Structure formats: C-alpha cells, structure tokens
Amino acid sequence: MLLCLGVACCMAACTDRPSHEAEMDKFVSDLMGRMTLEEKIGQLNLPTVGFDVTGPLMSTDVEQKIKNGQVGGVFNTFTPVAVRKLQEIAVTQTRLHIPLIFGYDVIHGHRTIYPIPLGLSATWDVELVERVAAAVADEASADGLHWTFSPMVDVARDPRWGRVSEGAGEDPYLGAEMAKAMVRGYEQGDLSKQNTLMSCIKHFALYGAAEAGRDYNTTDMSRLRMYNEYLPPYQAAVEAGASSVMTSFNEVDGVPATGNRWLLTDLLRRQWGFGGFVVTDYTAIMEMENHGVGSKAKVAELAVNAGVDMDMVSEYLLDELPALVKAGKVKEETVDAACRRILEAKYKLGLFTDPYRGLSEARAEAQIMSAEKLALSKEAALKSIVLLKNDRQTLPLDASKKIAFIGPLVRDQRNLIGNWSAAGNPQQAVSLWSALESKFGARKFTYAKGCNLTDDAALRSQLNRHGGDITPDSRTPQQLISEAVQAAQKADVVVAVLGEPFGMSGEAASRTSIDLPDSQKALLKALKATGKPVALVLMNGRPLTLQWEHDHLDAILETWYAGTRAGDAIADILFGDANPSGKITMTFPRSVGQIPIYYSHKNTGRPFSEQEKYTSKYLDESNEPLYPFGHGQSYTQFTYSAVQLSDTALAADGSVTATVTLTNSGARAGEEVAQLYIRDRVGSITRPVKELKGFQKVALQPGESRQVTFTITPELLKFYNADLRYAAEPGEFWVFIGGSSATENKAAFELGITN
Ligand code: NOJ
C-alpha cells in the first residue's frame, strides 16, 4: 500500500510516480517553498545509527532529531524492521513528512560477500563486476538500504596504505572501467527501480596518494599528475551517472578536500557537470579544525561554500548554518541548492511515492543470500584468484596424493569475507577446509594449524580492539611448528594457507612492513626445510613483499579475501576444476623501499643501466617489481603472435587496429587477459613508459587460437599537457600487446598532425 505523505499534494495522489525532470523540479520547489531554513538545514544532516564507528564521534539522540526534522538520512542501520521503524518516524511524525535516505558501506557485498574490490578488479571482467554490483544492490535494497558508499575509485600506488583493498588498484584506465561498471550495476540508470542502490564515488579526491602510505595523511601532487593519473576514475564514474560523491579526508593543494571549492564546485560541478549531491566523509567537516583552517563556524562555512551538501556525523552544519546564514557568510541560496540536491535524490529514489521502496520481509527473504547470489559470489571469487607463481606444475594438486593443509587460515571463516564486509556473517562463509570436506569427504587430507596469525601481542590487541578475533593458541609457537612439520613430512605436498588477518588491511590499517607476519614466515621456513613441495595460498588485502616466498616456494596463489564462497572457489582452483585467470592490478614490490612502484612510471633522463653507475637505480635492490601489474599465470600457456598494425600512420581523424593472434598452447581450457599498452615516444611533457589503453578477456580451448584486435584512435592518445589542455600530440607511438605490463611485444605507428 502506498503511503500518502501529505507533501505538496503528493504528486498525482501517490499513484502515478512522476519521472520527468520538470515534474521533479516542481515537486521539490513546492516542498521547499514550505520548508523553514532549519528544516532545509536538517536535510543536510547525516548521523550514524548504532554501529560501525569509523571516527571520533558517535551520533546521539537520532530518533529525536528525526522527529525535529533535523535529519536528512542515516547510515549504519538496515533490515526491513529497523528501516521501517525510523522511516515511519520521518514520514508520520515530522511536520513535512519527508522520508530519510538509508546508507551503508556496502563495499563488496551486503550479506552475500564477494571478493574485496582489489580482488574484483583482478578479474579484469567489467561485465562480471557490473553483475556483482547489480546483485549487491538487489540484496541490500531488499534489506532496506537506498545508498551505498561505493565505489571507492581512488588510484592507489602505495601498498602500505591499507585501503588499497577497497579499490581497483594503481591504474587510471582500469580504475575508470571498474568505476563505471560498479555505478551502472548499482544504479541501473534508474534509481526508481526498487532493487537499485544510489552509488557514492569516493573519496574525492586523491585519497589514495596519502604520503608514506599512512592513512588520512597529506597528499600533494602536480595538476598534471592529478589530471592524467588520479582523476580519470572519478570523472568516469560521474559520467556513468553516479548520484553522489564523498569528499576525502586529505587536503588537495593545501586545502582540505571537504572545504575545497575548486575541487567540489569548479572541477566536479562546472567542468564535469556533476548533478548529484556531495556528502562528506565521517566527521570530515569537524576534522578541518585539526587541519588548521579555522574554528567550528569557519569550517562549516568553508564546507558548504565549497560545495558540500551533506554532513556525515559532525553536525557542524546543523549547529552552525543558521547563524552563518543570518550573518551573511553563507547565502540562503547555497543552503537551498544543497537541500534541493538531497530532495532530488530522494525523489529519484522514489521515496516520496513509497518511502519504504517496496520493503517487505518476503522480499528480503527471497533476495538475501539467494542461490543465484551465492553462485555469483563463487564465480567472482574464481575469477579474482591470481596464480602468481607455479613451478614444475605444483598446481593443480592431484587428489590421490597425500596433502597436508597447514596454516591458521585453512579452517578460518572470518577472514574470508575481509574488511568492510557489511552485514556479511562469517558463519555463512565457506572455509577452505569445509569446501575440501564437501568435495572429497571428511578426513581425506591432514591439517595442522602451524602458527598463530601473528605472535605480536601489541598488534593483536590493536586488531582485536577493532573487531578482530585473534586468540593465541594454547600451544607454543614451537609446538605448532613441530606439529606442522610432522604433518608435512608425512605428505607428498604441502599447502600453506596464510595471509593478513583482515584487520591488517582496510581503513586505518597502514603498515611499514608488508611482509607476512613473522610467525607465518617462521612456519614457511620450517615447511620448506622438510624438502616437500610447498604451495602457498594467500589471503590478504594488499600486495605483499614476497621475495623469500617467491625464491623458495613452488607455487603462490593470491586469493585476496574472496568472500562467502571463498573456500569453494579456492578448492576448485587448487584441484584444477577451475583454471586461474585473475591478473594483479597493483604491482607487487620486492621490498618496501621500492614504494611507490607502478608500471606506468616515467623514463627519467637516466634510465636504469647495469653498467652505468649514474643511472636511476638502487645499490641494494633491482628496479623491477617482483610481479608486474597485469601479471597472473594459468594452468595452461598462452602465446602471443607479433603485433600487427593495420597501418603505421594514424591520421588525426582516423584509426588503426592492432591485432595479435592469441593461442592456448597448453593442455587445458583457460582465460587470458590480453592487455594493450601504449607509449607516447615524444611529448610536450614527459610521458609514461607504458599506459594501459585496453584489455580483453578471452576464453580459449586447448590448441585454440583467436585474433584479438584493438582499435586505436587519436582519442585514446590524449593527455593533459602543461596548459591542462586535453589533446593528442603528433609523433611516434609504441603499441604493446601481451599478458602483463612487462610485455615487450610491440609495433610502432606515427600520429599525424592534430589540431
Ligand atoms: C570513513 C571511510 O573513509 C568511508 O569510506 C566510509 O564510507 C565512511 N567512514 C562511513 O562509514
């Protein structure tokens, strides 16, 4: 039954939901015409309800504030019951009956959990990522949510930063593709469909470039780097129709993003044409006091005048705007514009017609963790897993052999769903051990815990204080290792399942060492000493430094935090029922000292040379990464023919095609991500040694070949020059096509005069 809200005639008597822009304008204008300044300011307030505190404050008296008309939306609550309860207050007990927006950090699944975003990006499967986002929206909206604080599209090149787990890695092109796919999946181009979620692009902007990889730290970069390398995914997400944007905690050009008018108004709204609303990150307005740009009233003024529409948790707008408007420091039109954007979002979500958006227990029951979603979770997990190394065909395993599964993550459920796992219930996650039991029956393989996830008591207590559950084993570390060594000695092959406890990546989880924890390294060394082949299965949220593991172990399988069906997917890959096809989207360094390390670096005036002393290099480390961006092996082999160009000249209004023949020259069916990189040989500014400009995921049967063709137009060659003009410059370009950013398979063409 549709509820009449009594709002400005309730548009066509609540039966025929208007969709036209002009009708929306009229509806919102009518409503705003009846609102007091205080009620408009109330719409800009976003308190948190209940849990998931990610900052210094917790909202108070939320129900009372809703009744007072002082709340525009809430976050951190869901379920039909909880949402109905608060929404009912808003639509029945407030003067104007304006519904609330319900938001939540639905980052990689709501109840059904999919691989972490870094893992999803490793699928290089845009269509799959869009399907995942659509399924996430379907489930979360059935649980009462309207809005997700996703996608995080921050380009990230420093794996010390814990939040690399939440994004698509280091590359602007891939990041833009993933960002668009997620926005399309969540919003479906039509928020009036009740199974969609409003997306929120975050963190605007440059949050991934925090100095020294320390969360919330300063960022500082040239406009050229910003425009060419960091802004493209945000812009792409805006163009894909994202309805909201979240400000970042960091400063941009010395001004905190949350008070940065150039960023939020000139760039976002004027240059990019963003028409949705801007919400701050958690208490980000308040934090501008710590940044040192003013007092409480001043930072509220800065934020709203910069272009902030909604204040997450700090309530500075609620407290300060009435006086700021009275004093003429903030124009009433500015408050009106912010309020209008929020009301428009509510209108587009259909909340004025049905504030419950079709909520029902039956719908929740049917959608939450449905068989289709669980199947999709497994599909995504399978495709996100990356085979980093595989000597002597250690993998796939032969189930008739004696196999010892060793490590604290073999039977673990909690870590599989990673950080930001929303309403995911670890009890519903399939551990590797239980997947092995389902696949092969109980007690087929041996198990030993081998070590604690960490023996560092200080780290453990930090992690446990924030949701971790790391209990040291009652056995000593030495006893655990001895038991594991005994199990290994009796086996033909050892599978070590190790990684970062989930709290070691994510927000406020920066690290200066990105090795495996010491307890785990000690275990690996003991296992290696048995002389048995060792395959390492990793669960973690960032590139790790794995030089020792690479040099000494036989196989390494990167599984990230693969979600609810992680165990099933890992078991299928370990035993060859599925062939790994993921490719890493962040460079894996050899050592922390190489960071920031990314494939699309500049050549410098003194590029590396072995013989020359005075070149750009380290005395104690190679310049090369351990695993380059785009790397990932398969159980089969793929070979690439030389790159064939349709022409060696590209006219300003023309195109050339670049083609390779890709062959599955191994014995198993598999999928390969063919990657197109371009190098602009000479420019008015220096250009990266390679830039990703296309990719295709191709499935091939053993012995099968396929032509893979990319079309190159001058548009693809454009970049921002020193005047921030976006243009392609004539001259020579190299085109590379291969299986990773390390490919040297190339051809050259010349771009003619452009204008
Ligand atoms: C802080 C995080 O930076 C942001 O990503 C998240 O959406 C908010 N907290 C809300 O939980």
Side-chain angles (χ1 to χ4, degrees), residues 528-670:
K528 170 70 188 171
T530 64
K532 302 290 174 157
V534 179
L536 171 61
V537 173
L538 286 170
M539 299 180 185
N540 52 290
R542 54 155 62 80
L544 298 172
T545 39
L546 298 168
Q547 185 73 62
W548 185 90
E549 292 78 356
H550 177 82
D551 292 344
H552 295 93
L553 306 180
D554 301 278
I556 306 181
L557 192 68
E558 174 59 79
T559 73
W560 318 107
Y561 302 116
T564 304
R565 300 288 306 277
D568 292 320
I570 296 168
D572 278 6
I573 288 201
L574 284 177
F575 288 92
D577 298 319
N579 193 348
S581 62
K583 303 260 191 181
I584 53 175
T585 59
M586 275 189 85
T587 303
F588 276 49
R590 290 173 190 275
S591 71
V592 162
Q594 295 179 306
I595 296 170
I597 181 169
Y598 49 94
Y599 81 93
S600 58
H601 59 83
K602 301 292 183 69
N603 202 35
T604 81
R606 295 189 177 193
F608 171 77
S609 137
E610 193 88 64
Q611 295 77 32
E612 292 284 326
K613 171 173 170 59
Y614 296 100
T615 64
S616 182
K617 64 184 176 194
Y618 301 101
L619 286 177
D620 55 355
E621 186 60 276
S622 137
N623 283 7
E624 294 304 310
L626 184 61
Y627 303 118
F629 174 86
H631 167 79
Q633 298 187 8
S634 164
Y635 294 153
T636 190
Q637 284 82 45
F638 294 102
T639 46
Y640 287 80
S641 71
V643 179
Q644 299 289 327
L645 293 178
S646 58
D647 204 329
T648 53
L650 171 58
D653 57 352
S655 64
V656 292
T657 58
T659 303
V660 290
T661 304
L662 178 63
T663 303
N664 179 348
S665 43
R668 283 170 183 266

Side-chain angles (χ1 to χ4, degrees), residues 54 75 105 149 163 202-203 246 249 281-282 312 420 507:
T54 53
F75 70 112
D105 286 284
F149 303 136
R163 301 198 77 171
K202 70 187 191 187
H203 307 80
M246 185 185 293
F249 287 125
D281 203 342
Y282 202 103
M312 188 190 285
W420 286 122
E507 187 173 353

Side-chain angles (χ1 to χ4, degrees), residues 46 48 51-55 75-76 104-107 148-150 152 154 163 166 200 202-203 207 215-216 246-249 280-283 312-313 420 507:
L46 178 71
T48 167
F51 52 88
D52 280 3
V53 181
T54 53
F75 70 112
N76 285 338
Y104 193 38
D105 286 284
V106 183
I107 305 300
T148 173
F149 303 136
S150 169
M152 177 181 116
D154 306 317
R163 301 198 77 171
E166 294 174 54
C200 184
K202 70 187 191 187
H203 307 80
Y207 185 39
D215 210 357
Y216 317 123
M246 185 185 293
T247 66
S248 56
F249 287 125
T280 72
D281 203 342
Y282 202 103
T283 60
M312 188 190 285
V313 179
W420 286 122
E507 187 173 353

